[in-house]
Amino acid sequence: MAVKIRLARAGMKKKPYYQIVVADERCKRDGRFIERVGSYDPNQDPAAVKFEESKTLEWLAKGAQTTDTVKQMLKKTGIWEKFVNKAA
């Protein structure tokens, strides 16, 4: 079972809001997930990205893979650097 950290869409039509979740890669985009680790709101200016840092680092340490979009968000917030430095 491969676990991914990815976006799950929520919100109304034309007003997206995303949850950043840890989910089995076989589950649907907005389907069942294991744990919620953050949120992303592109409607704000600038876009609001929030992570629960401890949960995110814990899942990365367990081997969870990230999607390209989530990886970019982690790099912007500085969590990715903490993970890479901790692993080295």
Side-chain angles (χ1 to χ4, degrees):
M1 172 173 97
V3 177
K4 290 218 176 226
I5 301 176
R6 64 183 185 197
L7 297 175
R9 187 181 163 137
M12 300 183 310
K13 183 168 37 168
K14 306 274 185 174
K15 294 189 187 263
Y17 178 82
Y18 298 90
Q19 294 181 19
I20 302 168
V21 298
V22 178
D24 183 351
E25 71 177 356
R26 297 172 290 183
C27 292
K28 296 179 182 179
R29 178 193 70 181
D30 300 335
R32 186 170 51 174
F33 59 88
I34 301 167
E35 187 171 16
R36 183 175 181 265
V37 295
S39 63
Y40 168 59
D41 187 359
N43 296 317
Q44 295 183 9
D45 189 28
V49 178
K50 296 176 187 170
F51 281 98
E52 292 182 35
E53 189 173 325
S54 60
K55 287 184 182 180
T56 306
L57 289 171
E58 180 183 326
W59 278 105
L60 288 170
K62 288 181 182 178
Q65 300 295 310
T66 60
T67 60
D68 294 336
T69 305
V70 172
K71 191 173 187 176
Q72 289 176 352
M73 290 178 186
L74 288 170
K75 286 181 179 179
K76 250 185 187 174
T77 57
I79 296 173
W80 188 257
E81 290 301 318
K82 290 180 184 179
F83 169 66
V84 171
N85 291 337
K86 191 175 185 181

